[in-house]
């Protein structure tokens, strides 16, 4: 073997060693969701896994004449949250608005840092900005995705209902209307609205007002212990959240108005101090 032949063989070996190794290609991959592409759809036509880079061939179907852009901070992400940043793109200019052609179809290619061989499913995310394009769950259609069953989720997250989750107790509403005058005001009662969140049931409680302006009402409520029931005087726009077994005191002053050309009218104020 002469010297020229040896040099030729060595050059060939060096060339082979320098070539990127392709270990997987996915033709016509499927995705689980296309997000934030309001005027069209983003699709992956092909994915090539190499030891030096992961290449994704995309098709953007977008309304003709409308503009879109892809940013250079785009990346792929695996199931463990690891990111594989975009290195380069062909077929469109990054960080620049691109107008969709008459056909409404734009094809382009993106090269990312290499995904590990074991990766079966991954996401494309067009940067971390608000409204970024996302193509989630890209995978080979032959790959069977395992979704957790309800029993598996329950077994993995054991939880017991607290003993005091539900309880029946009373709620007390009491207070006083300062300056109350039965004859002048013309009313001797007021209302509170009670809502049971779980039963989706609303009820009205009538509170009798004593001659001195005081009122007191205790009523039964069965609820989840830390989600109190709203109680609201009908003459007030504000609401008070009450937990069963507790009470609230309300003190307010009566306000009198005298509309022009009418009899003397006295009413409760439009707000309470709770």
């Amino acid at each position: 073997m002469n010297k020229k032949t040896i040099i030729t063989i060595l050059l060939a070996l060096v060339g082979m060693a320098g070539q990127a190794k392709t270990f997987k290609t996915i033709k016509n991959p499927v995705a689980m969701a296309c997000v934030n592409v309001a005027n069209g759809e983003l699709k992956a036509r092909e994915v090539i896994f190499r030891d030096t880079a992961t290449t994704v061939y995309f098709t953007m179907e977008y309304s003709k004449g409308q503009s879109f852009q892809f940013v250079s901070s785009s990346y792929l992400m695996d199931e463990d949250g690891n990111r594989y940043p975009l290195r380069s793109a062909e077929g469109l200019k990054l960080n620049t608005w691109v107008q969709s052609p008459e056909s409404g179809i734009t094809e382009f290619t993106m090269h990312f840092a290499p995904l590990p061989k074991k990766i079966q499913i991954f996401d494309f995310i067009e940067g971390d900005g608000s409204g970024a394009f996302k193509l989630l769950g890209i995978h080979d259609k032959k790959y069977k995705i395992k979704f957790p069953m309800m029993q598996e989720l329950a077994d993995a997250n054991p939880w017991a209902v607290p003993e005091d989750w539900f309880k029946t107790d009373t709620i007390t509403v009491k207070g006083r209307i300062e300056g109350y005058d039965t004859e002048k005001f013309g009313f001797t009662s007021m209302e509170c609205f009670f809502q049971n969140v779980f039963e989706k049931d609303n009820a009205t409680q009538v509170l009798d007002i004593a001659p001195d302006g005081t009122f007191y009402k205790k009523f039964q409520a069965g609820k989840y212990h830390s989600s109190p029931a709203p109680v609201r005087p009908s003459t007030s726009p504000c609401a008070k959240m009450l937990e069963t077994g507790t009470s609230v005191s309300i003190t307010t002053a009566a306000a009198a108005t005298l509309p022009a050309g009418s009899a003397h009218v006295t009413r409760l104020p439009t707000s309470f101090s709770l």
Side-chain angles (χ1 to χ4, degrees):
M1 184 180 296
N2 58 38
K3 184 177 180 180
K4 184 177 179 180
T5 302
I6 294 174
I7 293 174
T8 302
I9 294 174
L10 289 175
L11 289 174
L13 291 173
V14 170
M16 292 174 63
Q19 291 180 351
K21 182 179 180 181
T22 300
F23 53 84
K24 183 167 61 175
T25 299
I26 303 177
K27 297 281 189 179
N28 300 314
V30 295
M32 299 176 66
C34 177
V35 182
N36 293 330
V37 187
N39 296 322
E41 185 177 7
L42 177 64
K43 299 179 180 179
R45 305 192 315 275
E46 185 176 358
V47 182
I48 299 178
F49 295 79
R50 297 188 179 93
D51 56 356
T52 56
T54 296
T55 300
V56 183
Y57 295 86
F58 288 105
T59 297
M60 180 61 131
E61 297 179 358
Y62 216 66
S63 300
K64 65 178 182 179
Q66 297 295 313
S67 297
F68 60 90
Q69 73 168 330
F70 284 83
V71 298
S72 57
S73 57
S74 300
Y75 57 90
L76 302 181
M77 185 166 67
D78 62 23
E79 291 184 280
D80 294 325
N82 299 311
R83 298 186 178 194
Y84 305 85
L86 174 64
R87 291 176 172 173
S88 63
E90 301 161 8
L92 57 73
K93 190 174 181 179
L94 298 172
N95 305 316
T96 302
W97 290 102
V98 177
Q99 189 176 63
S100 183
E102 284 294 318
S103 63
I105 297 176
T106 302
E107 295 184 344
F108 58 97
T109 305
M110 287 185 167
H111 305 282
F112 302 85
L115 288 166
K117 294 181 181 181
K118 65 178 182 179
I119 297 299
Q120 298 290 342
I121 183 170
F122 63 92
D123 302 330
F124 164 76
I125 301 177
E126 188 246 336
D128 294 325
S130 176
F133 297 145
K134 298 179 182 179
L135 192 60
L136 307 178
I138 303 171
H139 62 282
D140 192 326
K141 59 185 176 182
K142 299 177 182 178
Y143 176 67
K144 302 299 181 182
I145 301 175
K146 184 179 184 298
F147 296 98
M149 306 300 290
M150 288 300 295
Q151 188 59 51
E152 293 176 321
L153 293 174
D155 292 342
N157 301 276
W159 184 80
V161 178
E163 293 182 2
D164 61 347
W165 182 272
F166 295 99
K167 72 175 182 180
T168 299
D169 207 330
T170 58
I171 290 177
T172 302
V173 179
K174 59 183 178 180
R176 181 171 62 90
I177 303 174
E178 296 178 344
Y180 175 75
D181 188 309
T182 305
E183 295 183 0
K184 184 170 24 178
F185 290 179
F187 60 87
T188 59
S189 65
M190 61 186 297
E191 295 178 341
C192 283
F193 296 103
F194 168 76
Q195 181 184 32
N196 188 314
V197 178
F198 281 170
E199 296 181 6
K200 296 183 179 180
D201 182 33
N202 299 332
T204 302
Q205 296 291 334
V206 178
L207 284 70
D208 294 325
I209 305 173
D212 63 353
T214 59
F215 53 88
Y216 177 92
K217 185 73 174 184
K218 180 182 285 188
F219 54 94
Q220 192 175 63
K223 289 205 45 49
Y224 169 49
H225 76 283
S226 67
S227 180
V231 176
R232 178 168 61 92
S234 61
T235 52
S236 171
C238 56
K240 180 69 175 180
M241 300 298 292
L242 296 179
E243 185 177 348
T244 52
T246 61
S247 64
V248 61
S249 296
I250 304 171
T251 301
T252 184
T257 59
L258 186 60
S262 66
H264 188 221
V265 177
T266 308
R267 59 180 176 79
L268 287 177
T270 57
S271 64
F272 282 93
S273 175
L274 299 180

